[in-house]
Amino acid sequence: MNRVAWLRRWHGRIGPLLVLPLLNSAVTGVSYRIAKDWFGLERDRVHWLMALHEGEWLGQRGETLVVLLNGLGLVWMLATGSSLAWQSLRRGWQKNRESLR
């Protein structure tokens, strides 16, 4: 199996597992900031959003694990997605160059 097929397979397998945790982080992080900055809510009133955002409800070890896995998952998806996009662009450029000859 070539590198692109391997990346596409694992990007497709891991991606669905990361959708909910990364969506949770994005929504709760943005909501927390908007609630404080735009709506002037005190930290105590919106701390529950940060607790969801960081996985605080899982305890100290769980919180660390959530942050670590979210970070690693995001880096994985960015790296593999960028690599796949680059390969696709290169193929398109090569086809375009060949058609101009």
Side-chain angles (χ1 to χ4, degrees):
M1 176 183 313
N2 69 21
R3 180 176 171 263
V4 174
W6 184 88
L7 278 178
R8 185 173 290 118
R9 173 180 287 163
W10 283 101
H11 183 86
R13 286 181 177 174
I14 293 174
L17 299 174
L18 297 173
V19 169
L20 290 178
L22 292 176
L23 185 62
N24 172 61
S25 288
V27 169
T28 55
V30 170
S31 298
Y32 178 82
R33 181 54 54 193
I34 288 174
K36 283 184 64 186
D37 292 351
W38 289 1
F39 299 118
L41 296 177
E42 297 293 323
R43 182 186 183 281
D44 293 340
R45 297 228 15 223
V46 291
H47 180 71
W48 64 274
L49 284 167
M50 195 49 60
L52 280 175
H53 177 76
E54 295 176 341
E56 189 176 299
W57 48 278
L58 294 170
Q60 182 67 34
R61 286 192 176 149
E63 181 178 356
T64 302
L65 190 61
V66 164
V67 171
L68 177 66
L69 291 177
N70 268 349
L72 290 174
L74 182 58
V75 168
W76 168 262
M77 294 307 289
L78 287 171
T80 58
S82 297
S83 179
L84 291 170
W86 180 252
Q87 293 296 327
S88 179
L89 284 171
R90 282 185 52 205
R91 268 187 262 126
W93 289 333
Q94 287 172 350
K95 284 182 184 176
N96 198 12
R97 230 177 30 187
E98 289 171 5
S99 69
L100 293 175
R101 290 181 184 177

XYZ file of all heavy atoms in Angstrom:
828
model
N 0.861 -1.178 0.000
C 0.000 0.000 0.000
C 0.907 1.241 0.000
O 1.836 1.337 0.783
C -0.878 -0.012 1.262
C -1.737 1.204 1.404
S -2.732 1.275 2.904
C -3.459 -0.321 2.980
N 0.600 2.177 -0.878
C 1.439 3.372 -0.940
C 1.122 4.339 0.206
O 0.141 4.181 0.921
C 1.345 4.051 -2.313
C -0.015 4.689 -2.554
O -0.758 4.971 -1.629
N -0.321 4.912 -3.809
N 1.961 5.327 0.350
C 1.880 6.265 1.471
C 0.555 7.040 1.482
O -0.054 7.233 2.523
C 3.058 7.233 1.402
C 3.091 8.241 2.496
C 4.352 9.100 2.387
N 4.284 10.195 3.296
C 3.901 11.410 2.974
N 3.553 11.689 1.738
N 3.862 12.363 3.871
N 0.122 7.491 0.317
C -1.109 8.277 0.237
C -2.315 7.432 0.638
O -3.183 7.895 1.388
C -1.294 8.874 -1.178
C -2.632 9.568 -1.308
C -0.161 9.840 -1.502
N -2.373 6.202 0.179
C -3.486 5.318 0.536
C -3.484 5.041 2.035
O -4.546 5.013 2.675
C -3.404 4.017 -0.248
N -2.293 4.836 2.605
C -2.176 4.591 4.048
C -2.656 5.808 4.836
O -3.427 5.666 5.791
C -0.723 4.260 4.390
C -0.517 3.901 5.818
C -0.630 2.664 6.372
C -0.166 4.782 6.891
N -0.373 2.718 7.721
C -0.091 4.020 8.063
C 0.076 6.150 6.968
C 0.221 4.570 9.292
C 0.391 6.704 8.198
C 0.458 5.907 9.337
N -2.203 7.005 4.433
C -2.636 8.234 5.116
C -4.142 8.432 5.002
O -4.806 8.782 5.975
C -1.922 9.462 4.530
C -0.541 9.766 5.024
C 0.027 10.975 4.297
C -0.529 10.004 6.511
N -4.671 8.213 3.808
C -6.111 8.404 3.596
C -6.912 7.437 4.468
O -7.901 7.819 5.085
C -6.449 8.199 2.115
C -7.901 8.502 1.807
C -8.189 8.455 0.316
N -7.552 9.589 -0.339
C -6.605 9.483 -1.263
N -6.172 8.304 -1.663
N -6.083 10.556 -1.820
N -6.444 6.189 4.551
C -7.143 5.201 5.356
C -7.161 5.605 6.834
O -8.207 5.604 7.478
C -6.499 3.828 5.212
C -7.115 2.807 6.173
C -6.486 1.468 6.049
N -6.944 0.879 4.790
C -6.363 -0.138 4.214
N -5.304 -0.684 4.740
N -6.838 -0.631 3.089
N -6.001 5.973 7.382
C -5.933 6.296 8.804
C -6.534 7.656 9.127
O -7.095 7.853 10.200
C -4.500 6.169 9.314
C -4.188 4.726 9.498
C -3.479 3.922 8.672
C -4.669 3.901 10.559
N -3.467 2.632 9.153
C -4.196 2.585 10.325
C -5.450 4.132 11.691
C -4.480 1.530 11.171
C -5.729 3.074 12.527
C -5.247 1.788 12.263
N -6.468 8.591 8.216
C -7.133 9.880 8.393
C -8.650 9.647 8.477
O -9.320 10.215 9.337
C -6.785 10.794 7.211
C -7.335 12.172 7.308
N -6.682 13.180 7.975
C -8.466 12.726 6.826
C -7.382 14.286 7.887
N -8.479 14.034 7.195
N -9.144 8.780 7.593
C -10.574 8.463 7.584
C -11.033 7.658 8.789
O -12.183 7.763 9.216
N -10.155 6.864 9.357
C -10.528 6.067 10.528
C -10.498 6.881 11.817
O -11.328 6.705 12.701
C -9.586 4.869 10.685
C -9.838 3.783 9.695
C -8.892 2.638 9.911
N -9.200 1.557 8.976
C -8.477 0.480 8.845
N -7.380 0.323 9.573
N -8.812 -0.451 7.988
N -9.501 7.728 11.943
C -9.328 8.483 13.188
C -10.210 9.725 13.215
O -10.702 10.125 14.272
C -7.837 8.831 13.394
C -7.073 7.530 13.646
C -7.646 9.804 14.543
C -5.580 7.676 13.720
N -10.441 10.327 12.063
C -11.235 11.546 11.983
C -12.589 11.471 12.681
O -12.907 12.335 13.504
N -13.396 10.456 12.394
C -14.708 10.381 13.042
C -14.633 10.259 14.577
O -15.526 10.720 15.284
C -15.342 9.121 12.439
C -14.671 8.978 11.117
C -13.264 9.460 11.330
N -13.553 9.677 15.079
C -13.390 9.564 16.528
C -13.093 10.918 17.175
O -13.337 11.111 18.364
C -12.256 8.590 16.868
C -12.419 7.159 16.386
C -11.152 6.367 16.659
C -13.629 6.517 17.036
N -12.557 11.838 16.390
C -12.150 13.135 16.919
C -13.197 14.228 16.731
O -13.050 15.310 17.292
C -10.843 13.576 16.260
C -9.641 12.686 16.534
C -8.464 13.119 15.692
C -9.291 12.723 18.009
N -14.228 13.955 15.955
C -15.215 14.997 15.658
C -15.851 15.545 16.934
O -15.838 16.760 17.162
C -16.302 14.483 14.690
C -17.463 15.446 14.594
C -15.703 14.264 13.316
N -16.388 14.701 17.765
C -17.082 15.189 18.960
C -16.154 15.867 19.967
O -16.473 16.961 20.443
C -17.890 14.067 19.618
C -19.116 13.608 18.830
C -19.808 12.456 19.542
C -20.085 14.746 18.599
N -15.009 15.273 20.312
C -14.131 15.972 21.258
C -13.631 17.325 20.743
O -13.605 18.307 21.485
C -12.953 15.016 21.451
C -13.450 13.687 21.045
C -14.516 13.924 20.021
N -13.267 17.398 19.471
C -12.781 18.666 18.933
C -13.908 19.677 18.775
O -13.719 20.872 19.026
C -12.051 18.446 17.610
C -10.728 17.692 17.720
C -10.138 17.435 16.337
C -9.740 18.426 18.600
N -15.081 19.218 18.404
C -16.239 20.108 18.321
C -16.593 20.646 19.701
O -16.876 21.840 19.866
C -17.429 19.367 17.708
C -18.678 20.199 17.443
C -18.378 21.304 16.448
C -19.784 19.305 16.913
N -16.553 19.777 20.710
C -16.795 20.206 22.084
C -15.798 21.291 22.497
O -16.183 22.318 23.058
C -16.695 19.022 23.048
C -16.753 19.455 24.490
O -17.725 20.030 24.949
N -15.665 19.209 25.212
N -14.534 21.086 22.196
C -13.509 22.070 22.559
C -13.737 23.401 21.855
O -13.612 24.466 22.466
C -12.116 21.548 22.226
O -11.761 20.534 23.125
N -14.051 23.343 20.584
C -14.267 24.580 19.828
C -15.492 25.340 20.335
O -15.419 26.544 20.607
C -14.424 24.262 18.344
N -16.600 24.637 20.496
C -17.845 25.299 20.906
C -17.757 25.839 22.328
O -18.122 26.989 22.585
C -19.051 24.336 20.752
C -20.302 24.899 21.403
C -19.293 24.050 19.280
N -17.248 25.043 23.253
C -17.182 25.511 24.641
C -16.138 26.604 24.813
O -16.357 27.556 25.571
C -16.899 24.350 25.617
O -15.698 23.673 25.220
C -18.062 23.377 25.658
N -15.016 26.520 24.111
C -13.988 27.553 24.211
C -14.469 28.893 23.682
O -14.297 29.936 24.316
N -15.091 28.873 22.517
C -15.609 30.115 21.930
C -16.772 30.655 22.772
O -16.849 31.867 23.029
C -16.044 29.879 20.461
C -16.808 31.065 19.912
C -14.828 29.585 19.601
N -17.647 29.782 23.216
C -18.786 30.219 24.038
C -18.324 30.868 25.339
O -18.876 31.885 25.764
C -19.708 29.042 24.365
O -20.244 28.503 23.194
N -17.321 30.294 25.957
C -16.769 30.846 27.198
C -16.250 32.261 26.966
O -16.562 33.191 27.703
C -15.648 29.943 27.713
C -14.970 30.433 28.959
C -15.539 30.195 30.207
C -13.769 31.123 28.897
C -14.914 30.639 31.370
C -13.137 31.571 30.048
C -13.717 31.331 31.282
O -13.108 31.772 32.424
N -15.458 32.421 25.916
C -14.865 33.735 25.637
C -15.933 34.762 25.283
O -15.897 35.899 25.739
C -13.837 33.598 24.508
C -13.129 34.855 24.131
C -12.445 35.570 25.271
N -11.544 34.708 25.973
C -11.001 35.010 27.154
N -11.285 36.150 27.741
N -10.203 34.172 27.753
N -16.903 34.392 24.464
C -17.966 35.323 24.076
C -18.829 35.689 25.279
O -19.194 36.855 25.460
C -18.820 34.724 22.936
C -18.007 34.731 21.640
C -20.126 35.488 22.759
C -18.668 34.034 20.482
N -19.158 34.701 26.116
C -19.977 34.965 27.299
C -19.292 35.971 28.224
O -19.943 36.861 28.776
C -20.268 33.672 28.045
N -17.986 35.839 28.377
C -17.252 36.773 29.241
C -17.058 38.139 28.584
O -17.324 39.164 29.198
C -15.892 36.182 29.613
C -15.960 35.115 30.689
C -14.579 34.644 31.080
C -13.838 35.803 31.694
N -12.452 35.536 32.003
N -16.604 38.156 27.351
C -16.235 39.419 26.706
C -17.416 40.210 26.168
O -17.480 41.416 26.338
C -15.236 39.163 25.572
C -13.885 38.699 26.088
O -13.657 38.734 27.305
O -13.060 38.272 25.254
N -18.328 39.548 25.489
C -19.437 40.262 24.870
C -20.618 40.449 25.805
O -21.296 41.467 25.744
C -19.908 39.554 23.614
C -18.943 39.640 22.467
C -17.724 40.255 22.465
C -19.126 39.088 21.182
N -17.133 40.109 21.238
C -17.964 39.401 20.421
C -20.138 38.359 20.580
C -17.824 39.016 19.101
C -19.974 37.962 19.269
C -18.830 38.297 18.535
N -20.872 39.441 26.630
C -22.041 39.524 27.497
C -21.701 39.902 28.926
O -22.588 40.039 29.767
C -22.830 38.202 27.451
C -23.326 37.869 26.071
C -22.907 36.722 25.416
C -24.204 38.711 25.412
C -23.353 36.425 24.134
C -24.665 38.424 24.132
C -24.230 37.278 23.492
N -20.423 40.066 29.211
C -19.979 40.535 30.518
C -20.268 39.594 31.677
O -20.334 40.037 32.824
N -20.422 38.314 31.418
C -20.685 37.366 32.496
C -19.409 37.116 33.295
O -18.317 37.077 32.741
C -21.218 36.048 31.947
C -22.577 36.121 31.229
C -22.945 34.763 30.662
C -23.665 36.617 32.162
N -19.574 36.955 34.577
C -18.432 36.690 35.456
C -17.921 35.270 35.232
O -18.665 34.377 34.831
C -18.854 36.857 36.923
C -19.290 38.264 37.283
C -18.145 39.255 37.214
O -17.013 38.880 37.589
O -18.377 40.384 36.768
N -16.659 35.080 35.565
C -16.015 33.776 35.411
C -16.792 32.675 36.136
O -16.938 31.570 35.622
C -14.587 33.850 35.947
C -13.815 32.568 35.791
C -12.448 32.675 36.470
N -11.663 31.479 36.268
C -11.826 30.349 36.946
N -12.760 30.256 37.869
N -11.073 29.300 36.703
N -17.289 32.962 37.315
C -18.028 31.962 38.093
C -19.301 31.500 37.391
O -19.719 30.358 37.562
C -18.377 32.515 39.476
C -17.149 32.743 40.322
O -16.097 32.146 40.019
O -17.235 33.522 41.291
N -19.911 32.380 36.605
C -21.168 32.030 35.931
C -20.936 31.142 34.707
O -21.855 30.441 34.280
C -21.915 33.293 35.501
C -22.310 34.135 36.674
C -23.705 34.632 36.750
N -24.712 34.075 35.931
C -25.625 34.805 35.303
N -25.609 36.114 35.407
N -26.559 34.222 34.601
N -19.749 31.220 34.120
C -19.497 30.454 32.894
C -18.389 29.412 33.067
O -17.950 28.812 32.086
C -19.171 31.390 31.702
C -20.388 32.175 31.288
C -17.999 32.284 32.016
N -17.971 29.193 34.296
C -16.904 28.220 34.537
C -17.296 26.813 34.073
O -16.437 26.030 33.666
C -16.492 28.199 36.009
C -15.391 27.216 36.271
N -14.103 27.421 35.827
C -15.395 25.998 36.871
C -13.365 26.384 36.163
N -14.123 25.502 36.788
N -18.570 26.494 34.087
C -19.022 25.181 33.650
C -18.627 24.926 32.198
O -18.340 23.784 31.823
C -20.530 25.015 33.854
C -21.369 25.939 33.032
C -21.755 27.214 33.334
C -21.918 25.649 31.740
N -22.508 27.736 32.306
C -22.628 26.799 31.322
C -21.882 24.537 30.913
C -23.298 26.866 30.107
C -22.551 24.602 29.693
C -23.237 25.766 29.316
N -18.580 25.997 31.375
C -18.133 25.826 29.996
C -16.658 25.430 29.937
O -16.260 24.577 29.153
C -18.345 27.128 29.202
C -19.777 27.431 28.795
C -19.893 28.862 28.302
C -20.244 26.452 27.733
N -15.853 26.064 30.793
C -14.431 25.730 30.814
C -14.224 24.321 31.371
O -13.327 23.605 30.917
C -13.659 26.759 31.642
C -12.175 26.720 31.446
S -11.571 26.717 29.734
C -12.193 28.237 29.076
N -15.062 23.923 32.323
C -14.963 22.562 32.864
C -15.249 21.533 31.763
O -14.566 20.506 31.676
C -15.931 22.390 34.031
N -16.237 21.800 30.911
C -16.518 20.918 29.771
C -15.390 20.982 28.749
O -14.975 19.957 28.196
C -17.821 21.333 29.081
C -19.119 20.880 29.708
C -20.297 21.489 28.957
C -19.225 19.374 29.730
N -14.892 22.177 28.509
C -13.845 22.403 27.521
C -12.578 21.611 27.838
O -11.980 21.001 26.958
C -13.530 23.908 27.478
C -12.425 24.291 26.561
N -12.586 24.336 25.196
C -11.154 24.663 26.805
C -11.439 24.712 24.649
N -10.558 24.926 25.600
N -12.187 21.616 29.101
C -10.938 20.977 29.510
C -11.106 19.541 29.989
O -10.120 18.864 30.260
C -10.288 21.794 30.623
C -9.845 23.173 30.182
C -9.289 23.988 31.315
O -9.552 23.655 32.503
O -8.577 24.960 31.028
N -12.344 19.077 30.140
C -12.563 17.735 30.667
C -12.364 17.669 32.163
O -12.050 16.607 32.718
N -12.547 18.786 32.829
C -12.334 18.888 34.281
C -13.180 17.883 35.059
O -12.773 17.384 36.110
C -12.679 20.315 34.723
C -12.325 20.659 36.129
C -12.636 22.116 36.410
O -12.054 22.993 35.747
O -13.472 22.357 37.299
N -14.340 17.561 34.538
C -15.263 16.642 35.197
C -14.718 15.211 35.252
O -15.272 14.360 35.942
C -16.620 16.684 34.492
C -16.508 16.570 33.006
C -16.231 17.567 32.121
C -16.618 15.385 32.235
N -16.176 17.076 30.844
C -16.406 15.733 30.879
C -16.875 14.052 32.553
C -16.450 14.811 29.850
C -16.916 13.136 31.516
C -16.709 13.514 30.189
N -13.611 14.938 34.554
C -12.999 13.612 34.578
C -11.910 13.472 35.640
O -11.266 12.439 35.731
C -12.389 13.293 33.207
C -13.378 13.138 32.060
C -12.653 13.072 30.734
C -14.240 11.907 32.271
N -11.687 14.520 36.421
C -10.640 14.493 37.430
C -9.308 14.955 36.854
O -9.185 15.209 35.658
N -8.304 15.068 37.705
C -7.001 15.598 37.296
C -6.369 14.792 36.158
O -5.943 15.352 35.159
C -6.051 15.622 38.505
C -4.692 16.206 38.212
C -4.747 17.689 37.891
O -5.574 18.411 38.432
N -3.889 18.143 36.997
N -6.308 13.477 36.296
C -5.702 12.649 35.245
C -6.532 12.652 33.971
O -5.997 12.695 32.862
C -5.505 11.226 35.734
C -4.371 11.128 36.699
C -4.003 9.700 36.954
N -2.835 9.662 37.824
C -2.598 8.724 38.677
N -3.429 7.710 38.788
N -1.518 8.755 39.425
N -7.846 12.597 34.134
C -8.728 12.620 32.969
C -8.630 13.929 32.206
O -8.623 13.948 30.977
N -8.534 15.028 32.948
C -8.404 16.350 32.327
C -7.122 16.426 31.501
O -7.128 16.868 30.348
C -8.400 17.427 33.405
C -8.288 18.834 32.884
C -8.334 19.867 33.991
O -8.522 19.507 35.171
O -8.157 21.047 33.657
N -6.030 15.959 32.076
C -4.752 15.957 31.365
C -4.837 15.086 30.126
O -4.346 15.460 29.046
C -3.620 15.457 32.288
O -3.580 16.299 33.434
C -2.280 15.475 31.597
N -5.465 13.930 30.246
C -5.612 13.016 29.121
C -6.455 13.635 28.005
O -6.113 13.526 26.826
C -6.224 11.696 29.595
C -6.229 10.557 28.596
C -4.811 10.192 28.186
C -6.936 9.351 29.188
N -7.562 14.289 28.367
C -8.428 14.930 27.367
C -7.659 15.992 26.600
O -7.698 16.046 25.366
C -9.687 15.541 28.034
C -10.386 16.517 27.103
C -10.644 14.457 28.453
N -6.934 16.844 27.315
C -6.171 17.911 26.665
C -5.090 17.313 25.754
O -4.912 17.747 24.606
C -5.565 18.868 27.712
C -4.599 19.841 27.074
C -6.673 19.608 28.455
N -4.379 16.312 26.247
C -3.328 15.669 25.461
C -3.896 15.009 24.207
O -3.378 15.213 23.095
C -2.589 14.632 26.317
C -1.512 13.821 25.591
C -0.361 14.717 25.164
C -1.020 12.694 26.477
N -4.953 14.229 24.359
C -5.530 13.530 23.205
C -6.141 14.496 22.196
O -6.034 14.282 20.981
C -6.553 12.496 23.664
C -5.974 11.301 24.407
C -7.094 10.373 24.867
C -4.966 10.550 23.561
N -6.789 15.561 22.682
C -7.321 16.573 21.758
C -6.193 17.221 20.966
O -6.298 17.403 19.753
C -8.101 17.653 22.505
C -9.567 17.346 22.611
O -10.082 16.438 21.985
N -10.260 18.129 23.410
N -5.113 17.568 21.647
C -3.982 18.188 20.970
C -3.340 17.261 19.959
O -3.083 17.641 18.810
N -3.075 16.027 20.375
C -2.470 15.052 19.456
C -3.400 14.744 18.282
O -2.945 14.626 17.137
C -2.119 13.767 20.198
C -0.968 13.854 21.191
C -0.825 12.535 21.953
C 0.331 14.213 20.497
N -4.680 14.622 18.572
C -5.649 14.345 17.512
C -5.726 15.478 16.500
O -5.771 15.246 15.288
N -5.721 16.701 17.001
C -5.767 17.848 16.101
C -4.507 17.928 15.249
O -4.582 18.149 14.031
C -5.948 19.137 16.906
C -6.070 20.427 16.104
C -7.230 20.360 15.140
C -6.220 21.603 17.050
N -3.349 17.723 15.863
C -2.091 17.736 15.103
C -2.103 16.621 14.055
O -1.691 16.833 12.903
C -0.873 17.618 16.048
C 0.401 17.349 15.276
C -0.738 18.878 16.884
N -2.566 15.433 14.419
C -2.647 14.311 13.478
C -3.524 14.664 12.275
O -3.134 14.461 11.123
C -3.190 13.059 14.165
C -3.568 11.981 13.197
C -4.816 11.700 12.723
C -2.689 11.060 12.548
N -4.765 10.661 11.834
C -3.475 10.250 11.701
C -1.323 10.841 12.596
C -2.938 9.249 10.920
C -0.785 9.831 11.807
C -1.585 9.052 10.986
N -4.719 15.192 12.549
C -5.638 15.515 11.466
C -5.094 16.632 10.582
O -5.242 16.587 9.354
C -7.018 15.886 12.023
C -7.725 14.732 12.718
S -7.862 13.230 11.728
C -9.067 13.737 10.522
N -4.455 17.630 11.186
C -3.855 18.706 10.392
C -2.708 18.186 9.535
O -2.590 18.537 8.354
C -3.369 19.829 11.306
C -4.444 20.698 11.937
C -3.835 21.624 12.983
C -5.168 21.505 10.877
N -1.857 17.352 10.110
C -0.704 16.836 9.365
C -1.145 15.915 8.232
O -0.693 16.076 7.084
C 0.244 16.101 10.314
N -2.016 14.970 8.534
C -2.436 14.037 7.482
C -3.303 14.730 6.438
O -3.159 14.481 5.243
C -3.171 12.814 8.064
O -4.305 13.248 8.812
C -2.248 11.974 8.927
N -4.194 15.600 6.891
C -5.033 16.339 5.939
C -4.216 17.240 5.037
O -4.459 17.323 3.829
N -3.220 17.908 5.609
C -2.342 18.763 4.804
C -1.547 17.947 3.804
O -1.390 18.343 2.645
C -1.372 19.534 5.708
O -2.075 20.393 6.556
N -1.059 16.799 4.239
C -0.301 15.930 3.347
C -1.171 15.431 2.197
O -0.741 15.431 1.037
C 0.270 14.754 4.131
O 0.988 13.900 3.282
N -2.391 15.033 2.512
C -3.301 14.557 1.463
C -3.666 15.685 0.505
O -3.720 15.486 -0.714
C -4.559 13.954 2.088
C -4.354 12.640 2.832
C -5.606 12.258 3.611
C -3.948 11.540 1.877
N -3.901 16.875 1.038
C -4.222 18.022 0.189
C -3.040 18.358 -0.716
O -3.214 18.653 -1.907
C -4.602 19.224 1.043
N -1.830 18.325 -0.160
C -0.627 18.607 -0.943
C -0.471 17.591 -2.083
O -0.156 17.962 -3.219
C 0.599 18.613 -0.039
C 1.866 18.888 -0.769
C 2.864 17.999 -1.045
C 2.266 20.117 -1.367
N 3.870 18.602 -1.761
C 3.525 19.914 -1.976
C 1.683 21.377 -1.441
C 4.194 20.920 -2.651
C 2.370 22.376 -2.116
C 3.600 22.140 -2.703
N -0.693 16.312 -1.774
C -0.589 15.273 -2.807
C -1.616 15.514 -3.916
O -1.309 15.362 -5.093
C -0.799 13.882 -2.195
C 0.277 13.449 -1.242
C 1.615 13.291 -1.933
O 1.695 12.914 -3.093
N 2.670 13.607 -1.214
N -2.817 15.907 -3.531
C -3.861 16.175 -4.508
C -3.496 17.373 -5.384
O -3.681 17.342 -6.611
C -5.183 16.425 -3.785
O -6.202 16.709 -4.701
N -2.963 18.418 -4.776
C -2.535 19.593 -5.537
C -1.412 19.240 -6.509
O -1.424 19.671 -7.656
C -2.074 20.701 -4.596
C -3.160 21.475 -3.872
C -2.547 22.390 -2.821
C -3.992 22.271 -4.854
N -0.457 18.456 -6.032
C 0.661 18.057 -6.889
C 0.172 17.262 -8.092
O 0.619 17.478 -9.218
C 1.675 17.232 -6.101
C 2.558 18.101 -5.236
C 3.642 17.330 -4.552
N 4.399 16.526 -5.502
C 5.065 15.431 -5.165
N 5.043 14.997 -3.925
N 5.746 14.762 -6.056
N -0.781 16.346 -7.849
C -1.330 15.562 -8.964
C -2.035 16.464 -9.968
O -1.911 16.301 -11.172
C -2.291 14.487 -8.449
C -1.601 13.178 -8.204
C -2.575 12.081 -7.851
N -2.551 11.980 -6.392
C -3.603 12.050 -5.605
N -4.794 12.184 -6.100
N -3.481 11.974 -4.307
N -2.787 17.433 -9.456
C -3.474 18.378 -10.343
C -2.508 19.216 -11.151
O -2.709 19.440 -12.354
N -1.427 19.671 -10.520
C -0.427 20.460 -11.237
C 0.261 19.623 -12.310
O 0.533 20.110 -13.413
C 0.616 21.019 -10.274
C 0.104 22.102 -9.375
C -0.921 22.969 -9.614
C 0.602 22.426 -8.081
N -1.094 23.811 -8.554
C -0.172 23.509 -7.589
C 1.618 21.914 -7.286
C 0.046 24.077 -6.357
C 1.834 22.493 -6.042
C 1.060 23.557 -5.589
N 0.556 18.365 -11.972
C 1.220 17.492 -12.942
C 0.317 17.233 -14.146
O 0.764 17.263 -15.293
C 1.637 16.172 -12.294
C 2.819 16.317 -11.366
C 3.115 15.050 -10.583
O 2.320 14.118 -10.590
N 4.248 15.032 -9.897
N -0.957 16.981 -13.900
C -1.907 16.764 -15.004
C -2.019 18.015 -15.854
O -2.068 17.957 -17.072
C -3.270 16.372 -14.463
C -3.359 14.960 -13.983
C -4.760 14.652 -13.506
C -4.826 13.244 -12.930
N -6.153 12.947 -12.378
N -2.057 19.161 -15.192
C -2.166 20.427 -15.900
C -0.928 20.671 -16.767
O -1.029 21.099 -17.913
C -2.355 21.568 -14.893
C -2.886 22.820 -15.527
O -3.338 22.795 -16.681
N -2.847 23.906 -14.809
N 0.249 20.389 -16.216
C 1.498 20.564 -16.954
C 1.552 19.628 -18.149
O 1.986 20.001 -19.238
C 2.681 20.303 -16.020
C 3.689 21.390 -16.071
C 4.822 21.222 -15.132
N 5.165 19.847 -14.829
C 6.046 19.499 -13.921
N 6.632 20.403 -13.202
N 6.306 18.235 -13.688
N 1.101 18.390 -17.958
C 1.121 17.423 -19.066
C 0.136 17.808 -20.167
O 0.412 17.576 -21.336
C 0.808 16.023 -18.523
C 1.908 15.438 -17.687
C 1.500 14.157 -16.975
O 0.364 13.681 -17.223
O 2.297 13.649 -16.192
N -0.985 18.390 -19.797
C -1.961 18.777 -20.820
C -1.483 19.982 -21.620
O -1.943 20.202 -22.736
C -3.311 19.064 -20.173
O -3.240 20.244 -19.406
N -0.568 20.770 -21.077
C -0.048 21.935 -21.788
C 1.023 21.552 -22.802
O 1.357 22.338 -23.681
C 0.533 22.955 -20.791
C -0.464 23.637 -19.870
C 0.259 24.509 -18.857
C -1.456 24.457 -20.672
N 1.569 20.359 -22.707
C 2.643 19.911 -23.627
C 2.105 19.525 -24.960
O 1.120 19.190 -25.297
C 3.408 18.743 -23.021
C 4.225 19.178 -21.853
C 4.976 18.003 -21.319
N 5.697 18.429 -20.118
C 6.401 17.633 -19.392
N 6.505 16.369 -19.682
N 7.026 18.068 -18.330
